[in-house]
Amino acid sequence: AASMILGPRGATIQQLTNDTGCRINMSHRIDGFQERLMVICGEEAALRKAASEILEKIQQDAHLEEHMTMTYTQEVPMGIWTGESNEPADPEYPLMPPEEAQTKTKRELI
């Protein structure tokens, strides 16, 4: 589904950005993971439109059903990830181990 959203040379995601006025970022591929993270920023109406169009594209993916169940053996550190690159927002800020993240509320994690 990611390639359907990105499009050739990023054309589809760029068109979606232009049409909705939202800023849309997708993470790079990470070995061992099937999914990619997408962040959409914008005004409420634009977010609804962008999310709806993205979900429509995901639902058109011929391989969607085979990717609905995911099992991982990797432990993923949690932390503050943001910006244009696929890097931590603040490299000096330590990433949080999953055990510690489980003790936090959603508000504390954000």
Side-chain angles (χ1 to χ4, degrees):
S3 61
M4 294 175 73
I5 295 164
L6 289 170
R9 297 180 185 245
T12 304
I13 200 168
Q14 185 60 52
Q15 185 64 47
L16 186 57
T17 297
N18 293 340
D19 291 349
T20 63
C22 288
R23 182 173 161 209
I24 304 169
N25 291 319
M26 187 177 297
S27 67
H28 296 284
R29 285 190 179 119
I30 300 174
D31 289 339
F33 290 88
Q34 294 178 9
E35 73 273 356
R36 293 167 72 174
L37 178 66
M38 179 179 295
V39 177
I40 309 168
C41 301
E43 298 293 324
E44 182 180 352
L47 287 170
R48 289 177 191 266
K49 181 178 181 185
S52 176
E53 290 187 31
I54 289 166
L55 289 171
E56 212 172 285
K57 290 197 177 298
I58 291 170
Q59 290 171 344
Q60 294 170 2
D61 184 352
H63 303 285
L64 179 62
E65 193 171 324
E66 66 191 66
H67 296 297
M68 293 301 286
T69 304
M70 295 168 263
T71 305
Y72 299 105
T73 57
Q74 301 93 334
E75 290 218 6
V76 181
M78 297 184 71
I80 299 173
W81 293 74
T82 186
E84 301 279 329
S85 68
N86 191 21
E87 299 293 328
D90 183 353
E92 300 300 314
Y93 192 85
L95 294 177
M96 186 181 302
E99 305 81 46
E100 185 178 343
Q102 291 174 350
T103 66
K104 306 286 184 190
T105 65
K106 288 181 184 179
R107 185 173 297 273
E108 289 173 318
L109 290 172
I110 294 172

